[in-house]
Amino acid sequence: MSTVAVAWFLLLAFSAFNLYTAYRLLKARNLTNLIWIPVVGTVIPILLFAWKPGGLTLLSFPVLQSIAFYVLITIANRKTP
């Protein structure tokens, strides 16, 4: 199995896990309308890796996911008492 195939598998697996985690977090707080934030944070790195597979575009995934989750948790904490 090539390294690009392994990278794709891991990228998609972690994307699914992160989106599931974000959905569970939002569903518990009844804020599922904010699911677009982690979706955007997941789709952009996938598109970057599809456009130009490499280490730098693969490293954009954890950076953008961290930013998306930070924004999501900040907004979710403001909206819940």
Side-chain angles (χ1 to χ4, degrees):
M1 186 178 279
S2 72
T3 56
V4 175
V6 171
W8 266 113
F9 174 75
L10 290 174
L11 181 67
L12 294 176
F14 282 118
S15 297
F17 176 74
N18 288 341
L19 286 175
Y20 175 72
T21 305
Y23 178 74
R24 293 280 310 257
L25 170 80
L26 293 172
K27 186 177 179 184
R29 296 175 182 217
N30 200 18
L31 295 171
T32 53
N33 59 335
L34 295 176
I35 195 69
W36 66 269
I37 296 171
V39 168
V40 168
T42 300
V43 168
I44 291 174
I46 290 174
L47 291 177
L48 283 173
F49 192 68
W51 175 58
K52 188 168 174 90
L56 190 59
T57 55
L58 194 58
L59 284 176
S60 70
F61 178 73
V63 172
L64 290 174
Q65 281 287 303
S66 298
I67 292 169
F69 269 87
Y70 175 76
V71 169
L72 180 70
I73 290 171
T74 302
I75 292 172
N77 283 336
R78 285 186 192 163
K79 290 195 175 203
T80 55

